[in-house]
Amino acid sequence: PARIADLLHAVIECGDRVCLEGNNQKQADFLGHALANLNPERVNQLHMLQSVLALPEHLDVFERGVASRLDFSFSGPQAARVARLASAGKLNIGAIHTYLELFSR
C-alpha cells in the first residue's frame, strides 16, 4: 500500500481512460484516494469511467487536476459537487450512461 503511487505513476499515462469500480468496498476507497493523490504534473487529463460517484475521492481527482473528463451512471451523494466542478470547468462530462451501457463501451 505504501507504494501505490509509484505503481500508478508507472502504469497510467496522461490522457488514459481509467475505470474505477466500486463504491463501498475497501479497494474503492483505497484506489480513489491513491488516484486523487497522484502528482498532476506527472499524470493528468485522465478520462474517468465510473458507475457511481459515491466517495469524495471520486471527484478529488478533478479538483486536483489529475482527471478532466468523466463518463458515469449515477452521482448519488456527490451530485451537487459534480455540478459545481462542471460549472467551474474542472470536470467535463463526456456522457451519462446506464450501468450496462457504460461498461459495454
Side-chain angles (χ1 to χ4, degrees), residues 5-71:
D6 294 333
L7 172 67
L8 294 175
H9 280 126
V11 299
I12 299 175
E13 296 182 10
C14 294
D16 275 355
R17 288 185 193 162
V18 175
C19 177
L20 181 60
E21 179 57 34
N23 61 350
N24 60 1
Q25 301 94 355
K26 289 179 186 176
Q27 76 274 9
D29 185 24
F30 175 73
L31 289 174
H33 183 73
L35 281 167
N37 286 302
L38 291 179
N39 181 346
E41 292 181 11
R42 292 179 63 186
V43 176
N44 53 61
Q45 300 297 313
L46 295 182
H47 180 170
M48 301 300 296
L49 307 163
Q50 294 183 243
S51 58
V52 178
L53 301 168
L55 304 173
E57 292 85 1
H58 292 162
L59 296 177
D60 290 349
V61 294
F62 296 96
E63 207 162 66
R64 294 200 64 240
V66 173
S68 60
R69 186 176 173 93
L70 173 67
D71 286 12

Side-chain angles (χ1 to χ4, degrees), residues 67-102:
S68 60
R69 186 176 173 93
L70 173 67
D71 286 12
F72 68 106
S73 297
F74 177 72
S75 60
Q78 301 299 323
R81 193 169 171 208
V82 168
R84 283 193 303 273
L85 288 168
S87 293
K90 292 188 173 209
L91 181 154
N92 296 307
I93 296 173
I96 301 173
H97 300 280
T98 67
Y99 180 84
L100 293 176
E101 181 183 33
L102 177 69

